[in-house]
């Protein structure tokens, strides 16, 4: 196969040198022809001049040269044969002229064909793809500009080189197999890794075709290639990301579910299959999900599906699954509408297996309840003395009123009205005693949280009553500043009392260590910092809270007291946070400590349930 060079520059010899050479030859031929008496057709040598000029590819110069040579031949003939023209000399001149004209015409035709081929080669150069041809010995015979750009070798460097060796080609398929396939089917396509001139590796997608000659013998291979390094890298990156995602899903027990509504077409990730405990051959569907849903939670799943059908933007549900082995899983499904298309809405969401979190939460709630119970009971020990006093007082009053009543009745003329009054007093005192006992029993009882609509002013009043003896014993001056109108919150009564008792007892203990006046201020009102929240503040004039203590105040088991458990404030925080509020400590300028907490204000409710 002939060698094509892509650059026209390379095709042409140095035009100037050729032109000078042609002129010299023309001069020498003319001088010999005109001045020597040689009887040979020397003018035939003008064809060399024509061929040389034609090799520059310049059509006009070729025509001019041919005519010039014709003219020189005639002048030479006339100069050398002035009076006697032999028929042989005439014939030699005619042959020379015929040779010059024929050579000129053939050269022009050849030039036209070369120009056409050059144009076609230029077209190949315009292609973005790398186009390379090589012979059956794998020597490169054509190398377009795309190939120059792709591999970094110029056409001059590449042509004549063995392609496989120069580019150190590597392919997943053995080279011999590619060659066999090319020879058998005439075509091959696939990915090959080649090395560029600068040593970097590129992956190319290559399509090769076999060229055969007229006899059907393989002559050359033409291959077009383009760079797919970036695409391959991205594919690998994608594959890696997918593997990461799968790992992340497995580790976090989060599956993905995508659904198109209303048609109902669904897609589940591997982890979603694992959560539902289905094998991969089960087609994802709402029915399949419902078959795994706990019977008591089917309504939740159907509700979420209906919400999606009616176009809800976000879906967020928690429900249980009942698996074939009887085990129960807690799942949390969060989805959002990803796209709205002609065929309907597409929802994409995450299905999280939150069973372990749920169980841990339940265990935490149980242990918090148990700890709360322990601290309550411990505190009750401290309060026992003052409470006993609270109870003995109405008891003594009952005995006194009973005696008085009997005396009124034992009179000769029984004083019924007086006796009635004594009995009424007895009933009132007995009620007071039983109320105190009921409160202690409620405090000591271990029970679940029972939220109710409570007036914080009322709870503060009750609690202060409960610890009044203790405060009196510590000579604490209690000053309350209660909200003028009822301020209701949704809260468990006993738990709220417990928070207040904790704060009040801490305050009393902090003030026991100081000599100055012991003032306990309890205030209620709408919170200034948290809009829509009720705030309760318990401020003392005690030792105050040091920096280290302030940082760790609400940590479980943090205590500065010899007999302390360090659970009081930690439990207070759990209780307040469980009711949607927050608790914090402040250091008032006047000294002492100020413990504040807020709870969401109950706007609607008014009576206790
Ligand atoms: P305990 O009372 O068993 O130590 P708490 O959790 O109720 O546990 O309190 C933790 C610590 O916080 C106390 O040991 C004390 O150092 C500090 N503290 C709590 N309330 C006050 C207060 N009103 N004034 C000063 N320090 C306080």
């Amino acid at each position: 196969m002939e060698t094509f060079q892509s650059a026209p520059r390379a095709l042409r010899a140095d035009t100037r040198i050729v032109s000078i050479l042609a002129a010299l030859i023309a001069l020498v031929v003319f001088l010999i022809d005109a001045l020597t008496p040689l009887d040979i057709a020397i003018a035939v040598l003008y064809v060399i001049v024509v061929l040389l000029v034609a090799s520059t590819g310049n059509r006009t110069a070729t025509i001019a040269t041919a005519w010039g040579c014709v003219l020189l031949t005639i002048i030479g003939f006339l100069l050398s044969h002035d009076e006697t023209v032999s028929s042989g000399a005439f014939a030699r001149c005619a042959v020379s002229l015929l040779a010059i004209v024929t050579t000129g015409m053939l050269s022009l035709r050849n030039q036209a064909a070369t120009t056409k081929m050059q144009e076609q080669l230029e077209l190949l150069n315009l292609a973005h793809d790398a186009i390379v041809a090589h012979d059956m010995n794998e020597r490169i015979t054509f190398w377009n500009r795309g190939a120059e750009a792709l591999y970094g070798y110029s056409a001059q460097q590449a042509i004549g080189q063995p392609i496989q060796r120069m580019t150190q080609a590597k392919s997943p398929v053995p080279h011999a197999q590619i060659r066999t396939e090319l020879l058998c089917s005439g075509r091959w396509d696939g990915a090959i890794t080649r090395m560029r001139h600068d040593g970097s590796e590129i992956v190319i997608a290559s399509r090769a075709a076999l060229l055969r000659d007229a006899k059907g013998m393989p002559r050359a291979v033409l291959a077009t290639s383009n760079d797919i390094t970036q695409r391959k890298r991205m594919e690998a990156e994608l594959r890696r990301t997918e593997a990461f995602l799968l790992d992340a899903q497995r580790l976090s027990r989060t599956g993905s579910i995508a659904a198109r509504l209303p048609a109902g077409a669904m897609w589940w990730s591997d982890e979603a299959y694992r959560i539902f405990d289905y094998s991969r051959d089960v087609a994802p569907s709402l029915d399949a999900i419902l078959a795994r849903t706990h019977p008591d939670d089917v309504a939740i799943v159907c509700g979420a599906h209906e919400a999606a059908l009616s176009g809800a933007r976000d879906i967020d549900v928690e429900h249980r699954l009942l698996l074939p082995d009887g085990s129960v899983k807690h799942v949390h499904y969060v989805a959002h509408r990803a796209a709205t298309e002609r065929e309907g809405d597409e929802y994409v969401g995450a299905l999280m297996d939150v069973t372990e979190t749920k169980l841990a939460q339940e265990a935490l709630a149980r242990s918090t309840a148990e700890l709360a119970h322990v601290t309550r009971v411990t505190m009750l020990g401290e309060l026992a003395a003052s409470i006993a006093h609270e109870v003995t007082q109405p008891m003594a009053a009952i005995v006194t009123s009973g005696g008085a009543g009997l005396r009124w009745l034992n009179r000769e003329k029984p004083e019924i009205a007086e006796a009635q009054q004594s009995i009424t007093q007895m009933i009132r005192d007995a009620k007071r005693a039983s109320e105190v006992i009921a409160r202690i029993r409620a405090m000591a009882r271990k029970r679940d949280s029972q939220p109710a609509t409570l007036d914080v002013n009322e709870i503060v009043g009750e609690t202060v009553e409960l610890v009044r003896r203790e405060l009196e014993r510590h000579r604490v001056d209690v000053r309350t500043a209660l909200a003028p109108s009822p301020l209701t919150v949704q809260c468990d009564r006993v738990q709220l009392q417990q928070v207040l008792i904790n704060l009040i007892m801490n305050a009393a203990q902090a003030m026991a260590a100081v000599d100055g006046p012991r003032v306990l201020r309890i205030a209620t009102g709408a919170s200034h910092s948290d809009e829509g929240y009720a705030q309760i503040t318990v401020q003392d004039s005690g030792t105050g809270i040091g920096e280290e203590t302030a940082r760790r105040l609400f940590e479980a088991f943090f205590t500065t007291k010899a007999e302390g458990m360090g659970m009081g404030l930690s439990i207070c925080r759990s209780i307040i946070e469980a009711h949607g509020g927050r608790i914090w400590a402040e250091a008032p300028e006047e000294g002492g400590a100020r413990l504040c907490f807020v709870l969401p204000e109950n706007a609607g409710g008014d009576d206790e349930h």
Side-chain angles (χ1 to χ4, degrees):
M1 174 165 182
E2 57 271 55
T3 297
F4 303 111
Q5 299 212 332
S6 66
R9 268 176 294 123
L11 268 174
R12 290 176 201 148
D14 191 333
T15 313
R16 262 230 320 243
I17 294 173
V18 170
S19 307
I20 292 168
L21 192 65
L24 277 174
I25 294 171
L27 184 67
V28 170
V29 171
F30 178 75
L31 289 176
I32 297 171
D33 190 29
L35 305 178
T36 62
L38 279 175
D39 267 354
I40 54 169
I42 191 82
V44 165
L45 293 178
Y46 282 123
V47 295
I48 300 172
V49 178
V50 175
L51 285 172
L52 273 173
V53 174
S55 77
T56 64
N58 190 329
R59 188 181 151 81
T60 322
T62 309
I63 296 171
T65 305
W67 284 122
C69 289
V70 166
L71 202 66
L72 286 177
T73 307
I74 295 169
I75 295 171
F77 176 75
L78 292 177
L79 284 179
S80 59
H81 305 88
D82 34 7
E83 60 267 5
T84 52
V85 181
S86 70
S87 58
F90 194 79
R92 279 196 296 276
C93 176
V95 165
S96 299
L97 288 174
L98 196 67
I100 293 167
V101 171
T102 312
T103 307
M105 278 169 60
L106 287 176
S107 295
L108 286 177
R109 200 192 301 163
N110 191 33
Q111 260 180 14
T114 309
T115 309
K116 202 165 170 196
M117 199 170 73
Q118 289 289 356
E119 279 170 7
Q120 280 167 356
L121 286 179
E122 276 305 305
L123 278 180
L124 287 182
N125 272 327
L126 286 178
H128 288 289
D129 286 357
I131 302 176
V132 174
H134 61 78
D135 61 19
M136 296 319 287
N137 295 320
E138 299 192 337
R139 299 258 162 208
I140 299 167
T141 54
F142 177 72
W143 190 262
N144 80 337
R145 280 201 205 122
E148 286 184 335
L150 184 64
Y151 300 113
Y153 290 99
S154 69
Q156 259 172 323
Q157 287 171 310
I159 287 174
Q161 297 297 319
I163 177 137
Q164 302 297 343
R165 202 143 19 100
M166 189 180 85
T167 60
Q168 301 186 24
K170 278 185 276 176
S171 148
V173 187
H175 182 57
Q177 195 179 320
I178 298 178
R179 203 178 157 87
T180 315
E181 196 178 321
L182 254 175
L183 289 172
C184 292
S185 68
R187 322 199 137 260
W188 180 84
D189 64 80
I192 304 180
T193 305
R194 290 195 191 275
M195 191 170 283
R196 300 184 76 242
H197 190 35
D198 64 9
S200 57
E201 278 196 345
I202 45 170
V203 186
I204 54 162
S206 186
R207 287 170 302 282
L210 184 75
L211 252 67
R212 291 179 188 275
D213 62 14
K215 291 184 197 136
M217 294 302 288
R219 277 189 66 196
V221 175
L222 183 77
T224 56
S225 314
N226 51 10
D227 187 358
I228 54 166
T229 315
Q230 192 67 13
R231 202 181 82 202
K232 282 276 169 197
R233 200 173 295 149
M234 275 168 70
E235 274 172 17
E237 190 61 38
L238 256 178
R239 271 199 299 277
R240 208 175 9 250
T241 313
E242 212 165 289
F244 278 160
L245 204 71
L246 282 180
D247 252 12
Q249 289 215 343
R250 200 167 39 76
L251 291 172
S252 64
R253 298 195 181 169
T254 305
S256 310
I257 296 184
R260 193 177 280 272
L261 295 174
M266 238 187 229
W267 177 89
W268 295 346
S269 73
D270 283 357
E271 191 55 28
Y273 271 98
R274 246 194 301 274
I275 293 173
F276 287 131
D277 195 16
Y278 274 129
S279 63
R280 263 292 189 178
D281 50 3
V282 172
S285 67
L286 178 65
D287 286 344
I289 296 177
L290 287 174
R292 287 287 195 256
T293 305
H294 192 287
D296 295 347
D297 292 353
V298 166
I300 299 177
V301 177
C302 290
H305 181 66
E306 270 157 30
L309 276 179
S310 58
R313 210 161 60 95
D314 298 297
I315 305 288
D316 188 336
V317 282
E318 266 194 58
H319 64 91
R320 288 164 299 167
L321 301 178
L322 181 60
L323 301 177
D325 64 1
S327 62
V328 172
K329 267 186 196 172
H330 293 261
V331 290
H332 186 180
Y333 180 61
V334 188
H336 75 126
R337 201 175 56 216
T340 303
E341 288 169 13
R342 221 158 357 117
E343 311 93 85
D345 291 339
E346 186 165 294
Y347 282 85
V348 178
L351 178 77
M352 291 163 273
D353 180 349
V354 292
T355 312
E356 278 183 12
T357 320
K358 270 267 175 228
L359 294 181
Q361 266 174 2
E362 279 169 15
L364 189 70
R366 259 199 315 276
S367 49
T368 309
E370 247 143 47
L371 271 171
H373 175 66
V374 169
T375 46
R376 271 205 303 271
V377 173
T378 317
M379 204 169 283
L380 278 180
E382 267 179 55
L383 294 176
S386 63
I387 288 164
H389 180 86
E390 288 271 318
V391 181
T392 42
Q393 230 189 11
M395 289 300 187
I398 290 169
V399 174
T400 315
S401 305
L406 273 179
R407 278 197 298 281
W408 290 120
L409 288 174
N410 284 342
R411 290 218 169 166
E412 248 171 71
K413 194 174 166 228
E415 294 281 352
I416 301 294
E418 297 290 348
Q420 256 177 351
Q421 202 185 340
S422 297
I423 291 167
T424 311
Q425 276 172 4
M426 280 167 67
I427 292 170
R428 191 198 62 202
D429 290 336
K431 266 195 184 153
R432 241 181 80 196
S434 72
E435 266 170 27
V436 173
I437 290 164
R439 266 184 239 148
I440 297 164
R441 282 188 52 197
M443 287 269 300
R445 210 164 45 218
K446 206 167 106 184
R447 69 206 229 313
D448 288 335
S449 172
Q450 289 169 4
T453 307
L454 308 174
D455 177 6
V456 290
N457 287 346
E458 202 181 301
I459 300 293
V460 167
E462 265 179 28
T463 312
V464 170
E465 274 313 307
L466 209 57
V467 292
R468 182 170 291 286
R469 280 289 306 164
E470 192 63 15
L471 294 175
E472 277 172 8
R473 198 165 65 81
H474 281 96
R475 299 194 314 283
V476 173
D477 174 10
V478 185
R479 296 183 194 168
T480 49
L482 304 184
S485 53
L487 196 62
T488 55
V489 291
Q490 192 73 18
C491 193
D492 180 280
R493 173 182 288 270
V494 174
Q495 287 184 358
L496 186 53
Q497 278 181 352
Q498 196 196 342
V499 171
L500 278 167
I501 289 176
N502 261 314
L503 301 187
I504 294 171
M505 295 302 280
N506 273 347
Q509 284 164 357
M511 290 190 290
V514 296
D515 289 336
R518 297 170 182 175
V519 184
L520 176 71
R521 295 171 201 278
I522 306 178
T524 62
S527 168
H528 297 301
S529 54
D530 301 52
E531 203 187 325
Y533 283 70
Q535 179 164 331
I536 302 177
T537 309
V538 177
Q539 183 175 342
D540 62 54
S541 57
T543 50
I545 301 169
E547 223 171 272
E548 163 73 3
T549 309
R551 242 180 349 101
R552 308 187 50 200
L553 207 59
F554 295 97
E555 274 178 26
F557 305 113
F558 171 76
T559 181
T560 55
K561 299 168 195 167
E563 309 275 294
M565 274 180 72
M567 286 309 298
L569 288 181
S570 146
I571 289 169
C572 288
R573 187 169 66 172
S574 329
I575 292 174
I576 296 300
E577 285 179 359
H579 286 86
R582 64 184 185 97
I583 181 165
W584 70 97
E586 291 174 357
E589 274 173 24
E590 60 272 28
R594 187 191 293 140
L595 272 291
C596 318
F597 66 90
V598 290
L599 288 169
E601 212 179 316
N602 191 352
D606 44 14
D607 42 32
E608 195 172 321
H609 340 273

